[in-house]
Amino acid sequence: MIGLGYVVEFFSNIYSKFIIIPDNLFLKFTLLCVAFIIIGIGLSLYYTANLGLAPYDCLPIILSEKTKFEFGTCMVLLLLISIILFIHLISVVSDILNTV
């Protein structure tokens, strides 16, 4: 999710030029309901793809299908790699902050 803030800000600036936010509470509620329907359709399409509930869950499924390892083994290996990378990232960030 690196750079997600930049992407959100970029598209927010684009959307703010084309979408007028209404002052009327009824129109705001209507837009909210439309947004819920769109999000619901997107989530239902994602869940029916049978790839897991999060992108993080998809990688062990794909690895278990492509290799001889079982899903549980792939999941544990992915979690261990994630923990090791996170610990390394914390040490790198703390070193950078200490030099500043």
Side-chain angles (χ1 to χ4, degrees):
M1 296 299 223
I2 296 174
L4 181 64
Y6 295 114
V7 173
V8 170
E9 185 177 349
F10 174 76
F11 284 107
S12 294
N13 289 336
I14 291 174
Y15 292 149
S16 66
K17 295 176 184 175
F18 298 109
I19 297 176
I20 299 171
I21 300 174
D23 293 331
N24 187 351
L25 186 61
F26 177 74
L27 291 176
K28 285 183 180 181
F29 183 73
T30 305
L31 286 176
L32 179 68
C33 291
V34 169
F36 281 152
I37 291 170
I38 292 171
I39 290 172
I41 291 170
L43 286 174
S44 67
L45 291 173
Y46 186 74
Y47 291 155
T48 55
N50 289 328
L51 291 176
L53 297 179
Y56 186 75
D57 296 332
C58 298
L59 186 59
I61 293 172
I62 295 170
L63 287 175
S64 66
E65 291 175 355
K66 300 290 183 187
T67 63
K68 61 181 180 177
F69 298 112
E70 295 180 3
F71 170 75
T73 306
C74 292
M75 188 69 181
V76 169
L77 289 174
L78 180 67
L79 290 172
L80 287 175
I81 291 170
S82 299
I83 291 170
I84 292 168
L85 289 175
F86 182 71
I87 291 171
H88 180 67
L89 178 68
I90 288 175
S91 66
V92 169
V93 169
S94 67
D95 289 344
I96 291 172
L97 292 177
N98 287 334
T99 59
V100 172

